[in-house]
Amino acid sequence: MRTNILIVGGKGMVGKTIHRILQTRNPDFKIFIGSRKKEISEYDLMIDVDKPETFNPVLNRNINLIILAVNDKQDHILKFAIDNGIDYIDITKPTPDLVKALAKAENNKITSRIVFGSGWMGGLVGGLIKVLYPDTKNIQEVKVYVYYSTKDLAGESSAYFMAENVAKPFINYQNNRQISVRHFLNSEDFRYSFGIGKRQAYNFDVPDLYILNQVEKIPTVNVKMTYDSKSITWLLGAFQKMRIFDILSLKQRRSIFGSSGNGDQSVFEIVIKNQLGEKKLSLQSEKGQAELTALAASLHAEILVKNELENKIYFAHQIHNPEHLFQSLSEYEGITIETTNI
């Protein structure tokens, strides 16, 4: 049977990149694009995630897999996939929305593979941790350090997430205690790899916090981030410390976080501690975060298409063989991965 894949949000930046990567790597896949824009070809479907009545044409295309690459606050696409037994991958959700969607999925009978790939760069962190430690039971602490370049070619979604959530506290985990923190506070010095050097890194909320503690049972999990511009990083910290974000409108906050460049590298580093010491995995994507996120989604899709997995709910790292994931990433043009003992 031919593989028919629908990318909802397929005309956005990440959606278009998923399409390009999937089609290049799998020319036999038949890929449909769902968006609110007018249909141009037989592969275009007019779909509005806020209007479930627009989903019916999906059933006429014999879709095997839906990849969600656009914000769906009400989880209408998730419900449609579950109701119709269609495999589903979601790479879009911030932590509160992920928790809500997971609860909805768990309250339904699952007759397909439901994959939550939200997390840093399409949910890669959990899988890469298992490259260094296949058994996470003995891991005491994980710290993730994100480097974000303002010159990177970024879509609206990440900027809108920061604008909507920068004034809200979020949870990180210390010895299984939930600690309420805020973005851009509690700075920590970290020496980034790939020539970036020493930077101050600040609190940052990604779903990996929840996934690593609540699913993988790692007691202490923290995520910190820094911008390529030290002055911007410091300024955001000052804004948060003085509670300026609290009084700015959503439109004003979007103007702060909404800039996008013409392309730059994306870097994240994972520091893992157990009773024997610490190890670090560092990943650089020269093509930026949109490319890396789209590659992750494509690798998830290939696993679902080419492997027999039980019909149930998964997080992205649970569907991959860690060694195969590491190899696939390492072989991709523009990606460099380094592992070191600390």
Side-chain angles (χ1 to χ4, degrees):
M1 183 175 66
R2 183 161 187 175
T3 299
N4 295 341
I5 296 176
L6 170 65
I7 304 172
V8 178
K11 293 190 178 180
M13 181 177 297
V14 173
K16 288 190 290 188
T17 310
I18 294 171
H19 186 188
R20 170 174 55 79
I21 293 173
L22 260 184
Q23 199 74 84
T24 300
R25 292 168 60 91
N26 307 276
D28 56 321
F29 287 3
K30 191 174 183 179
I31 301 176
F32 294 85
I33 301 301
S35 75
R36 289 180 293 183
K37 297 182 180 179
K38 185 178 179 180
E39 297 177 11
I40 299 175
S41 76
E42 62 176 304
Y43 298 104
D44 293 318
L45 296 178
M46 282 190 68
I47 292 176
D48 186 334
V49 296
D50 295 321
K51 298 178 180 179
E53 64 270 18
T54 66
F55 302 170
N56 290 330
V58 174
L59 300 176
N60 299 328
R61 304 309 199 278
N62 297 315
I63 299 297
N64 312 106
L65 167 64
I66 296 173
I67 301 174
L68 183 65
V70 68
N71 194 5
D72 179 14
K73 283 280 189 182
Q74 301 304 315
D75 297 309
H76 291 311
I77 295 290
L78 170 63
K79 183 178 186 304
F80 178 82
I82 291 174
D83 288 347
N84 291 281
I86 301 172
D87 289 341
Y88 168 92
I89 297 171
D90 184 350
I91 58 168
T92 68
K93 297 199 183 305
T95 308
D97 292 350
L98 171 64
V99 174
K100 183 182 69 172
L102 177 63
K104 289 181 179 179
E106 289 175 337
N107 285 329
N108 284 271
K109 181 180 179 181
I110 303 300
T111 59
S112 60
R113 285 82 60 88
I114 303 298
V115 178
F116 292 109
S118 297
W120 194 245
M121 298 298 96
L124 292 176
V125 170
L128 290 173
I129 287 172
K130 288 179 177 288
V131 170
L132 298 183
Y133 292 102
D135 185 353
T136 60
K137 287 188 296 185
N138 295 320
I139 295 177
Q140 299 171 338
E141 180 180 45
V142 169
K143 289 186 175 182
V144 181
Y145 296 91
V146 171
Y147 170 85
Y148 180 81
S149 174
T150 56
K151 299 187 289 289
D152 196 1
L153 183 63
E156 290 183 343
S157 57
S158 59
Y160 281 13
F161 164 75
M162 286 306 305
E164 292 171 1
N165 293 279
V166 67
K168 300 176 184 177
F170 65 95
I171 299 298
N172 69 15
Y173 300 88
Q174 303 290 329
N175 294 319
N176 288 319
R177 289 187 303 117
Q178 295 188 6
I179 308 296
S180 179
V181 298
R182 294 166 72 92
H183 289 92
F184 305 122
L185 294 180
N186 307 109
S187 67
E188 175 185 342
D189 286 339
F190 181 74
R191 186 169 295 279
Y192 286 85
S193 305
F194 309 110
I196 295 169
K198 186 177 179 181
R199 299 296 179 101
Q200 283 196 315
Y202 291 81
N203 292 338
F204 188 57
D205 184 21
V206 294
D208 305 284
L209 289 163
Y210 173 87
I211 294 167
L212 295 178
N213 180 265
Q214 297 293 301
V215 178
E216 291 299 325
K217 307 304 180 184
I218 297 171
T220 298
V221 188
N222 289 283
V223 179
K224 304 275 189 178
M225 71 94 69
T226 193
Y227 280 81
D228 59 318
S229 167
K230 294 182 180 180
S231 60
I232 289 177
T233 307
W234 177 87
L235 186 63
L236 292 174
F239 270 37
Q240 188 69 288
K241 190 172 184 179
M242 292 185 289
R243 300 282 182 142
I244 293 176
F245 290 121
D246 294 11
I247 60 175
L248 294 177
S249 69
L250 178 59
K251 182 178 180 180
Q252 289 170 323
R253 296 198 300 269
R254 283 181 173 176
S255 69
I256 292 173
F257 293 103
S259 62
S260 179
N262 295 318
D264 197 9
Q265 68 174 339
S266 177
V267 170
F268 67 88
E269 312 202 40
I270 310 167
V271 178
I272 310 165
K273 179 181 179 180
N274 70 3
Q275 65 271 25
L276 300 178
E278 293 184 335
K279 293 183 179 181
K280 181 175 71 172
L281 184 146
S282 307
L283 187 148
Q284 176 196 48
S285 171
E286 295 178 358
K287 297 181 179 180
Q289 64 171 344
E291 186 84 10
L292 187 54
T293 301
L295 173 62
S298 299
L299 295 176
H300 305 336
E302 291 172 0
I303 289 290
L304 292 189
V305 169
K306 297 176 182 178
N307 290 274
E308 293 294 330
L309 293 173
E310 183 181 350
N311 291 334
K312 65 177 188 178
I313 300 166
Y314 298 89
F315 292 96
H317 70 279
Q318 295 173 330
I319 69 174
H320 288 278
N321 176 294
E323 293 181 0
H324 293 166
L325 175 64
F326 183 88
Q327 182 179 358
S328 296
L329 292 169
S330 299
E331 291 175 349
Y332 195 78
E333 182 182 359
I335 290 180
T336 302
I337 305 178
E338 299 175 349
T339 59
T340 55
N341 292 320
I342 301 176

